[in-house]
């Protein structure tokens, strides 16, 4: 599985966009990028995934660079409930998602 | 719509005791996994299963056993609890559709070994 690198922590004001970066320079051509988040020690929650194209769903947007060596998760209007640890994962097998230490996002008033 | 159910939510064990953490899913997923999470750390894979009757070791398997007799259930057994096994344990079930993996996690079991 490709290794990912994320900043350990970030702050964001409520209502502003939160942009969470992830480097995955060794990603293989058929590997997906997944984002999960973990709110206050609950079980991780799936957010979004992408392969090459930018993706958007009701929770977030995912921007993947053309060379696929990095990506950015965008929460367009962060709220206090978005305070969590965000994990960027390059796909392992279905049963072996490999979690790093993630980025702790703190949303403030 | 239960998803992944873990029991118990909290447990205190004495060193040397054994116990089983239960995990059940109702989504008919073929893949199930157990992770542990220590304070300030990411999740580390203990054991996983790719289907009923098939299990394999993950990153930190020592001191734990698993079995998968049915698609729905994937219990994790601690054979002789040690303080180093104090952690939060998460069970996950997942499926792959057109090459895309989606995993669903339980709410965790908080285990303290004294």
């Amino acid at each position: 599985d490709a290794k990912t690198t994320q900043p350990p922590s970030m702050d964001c004001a409520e209502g502003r966009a939160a942009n969470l970066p992830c480097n995955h320079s060794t990603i293989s051509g058929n590997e997906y990028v997944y984002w999960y988040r973990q709110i206050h020690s609950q079980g991780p929650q799936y957010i979004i995934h992408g392969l090459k194209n930018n993706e958007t769903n009701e929770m977030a947007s995912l921007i993947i660079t053309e060379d696929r060596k990095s990506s950015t998760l965008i929460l367009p209007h962060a709220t206090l409930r978005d305070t969590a640890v965000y994990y960027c994962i390059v796909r392992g097998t279905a049963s072996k998602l490999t979690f790093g230490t993630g980025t702790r996002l703190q949303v403030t008033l | 719509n239960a998803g992944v159910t873990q029991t118990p939510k909290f447990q205190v064990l004495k060193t040397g005791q054994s116990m089983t953490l239960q995990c059940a899913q109702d989504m008919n997923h073929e893949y199930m996994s157990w992770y542990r999470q220590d304070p300030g750390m990411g999740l580390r894979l203990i054991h996983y299963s790719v289907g009923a009757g098939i299990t394999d070791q993950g990153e930190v398997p020592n001191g734990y056993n698993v079995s998968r007799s049915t698609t729905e259930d994937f219990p994790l057994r601690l054979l002789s609890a040690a303080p180093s096994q104090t952690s939060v344990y998460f069970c996950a079930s997942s499926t792959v559709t057109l090459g895309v993996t989606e995993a669903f996690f339980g709410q965790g079991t908080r285990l303290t070994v004294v």
Side-chain angles (χ1 to χ4, degrees):
Chain A
D1 300 341
K3 179 178 168 57
T4 62
T5 304
Q6 298 177 253
S9 64
M10 296 182 64
D11 292 327
C12 179
E14 189 176 34
R16 305 297 286 260
N19 297 286
L20 290 86
C22 179
N23 287 323
H24 33 78
S25 58
T26 61
I27 191 170
S28 300
N30 61 350
E31 288 183 314
Y32 284 80
V33 179
Y34 295 84
W35 284 83
Y36 282 75
R37 73 179 181 183
Q38 188 175 26
I39 297 173
H40 193 52
S41 297
Q42 297 176 16
Q45 175 191 22
Y46 165 84
I47 301 172
I48 198 168
H49 73 273
L51 183 63
K52 297 179 182 178
N53 300 322
N54 298 336
E55 302 289 344
T56 295
N57 63 19
E58 65 277 5
M59 292 181 67
S61 295
L62 175 61
I63 308 297
I64 302 175
T65 58
E66 191 170 344
D67 62 8
R68 302 206 331 121
K69 293 184 177 182
S70 65
S71 60
T72 301
L73 178 74
I74 301 172
L75 308 177
H77 306 286
T79 71
L80 296 177
R81 288 175 294 184
D82 292 320
T83 292
V85 178
Y86 288 78
Y87 297 98
C88 168
I89 300 169
V90 173
R91 181 203 180 241
T93 66
S95 50
K96 293 197 292 183
L97 290 174
T98 302
F99 288 79
T101 52
T103 296
R104 183 172 298 276
L105 175 68
Q106 180 69 51
V107 181
T108 58
L109 291 171
Chain B
N1 190 9
V4 179
T5 303
Q6 290 185 236
T7 55
K9 289 186 169 56
F10 301 92
Q11 183 70 51
V12 178
L13 288 179
K14 294 183 178 178
T15 297
Q17 286 185 316
S18 62
M19 80 159 293
T20 300
L21 280 63
Q22 301 292 343
C23 177
Q25 54 100 356
D26 61 0
M27 296 171 283
N28 201 33
H29 287 168
E30 64 271 37
Y31 302 101
M32 296 186 74
S33 311
W34 276 102
Y35 295 84
R36 63 175 286 174
Q37 185 174 34
D38 299 322
M41 307 281 288
L43 281 72
R44 291 186 293 169
L45 183 66
I46 304 172
H47 285 286
Y48 65 98
S49 170
V50 299
I54 306 170
T55 64
D56 205 347
Q57 296 181 351
E59 180 186 358
V60 288
N62 292 339
Y64 308 95
N65 274 355
V66 292
S67 60
R68 183 107 178 262
S69 56
T70 66
T71 299
E72 295 77 19
D73 299 301
F74 191 44
L76 178 72
R77 280 181 286 277
L78 279 70
L79 308 174
S80 177
S84 61
Q85 294 179 303
T86 293
S87 190
V88 181
Y89 292 84
F90 290 101
C91 177
S93 75
S94 55
T95 188
V96 178
T97 304
L98 298 177
V100 176
T101 300
E102 188 169 5
F104 298 83
F105 287 80
Q107 289 305 295
T109 294
R110 284 147 184 80
L111 176 68
T112 301
V113 182
V114 297

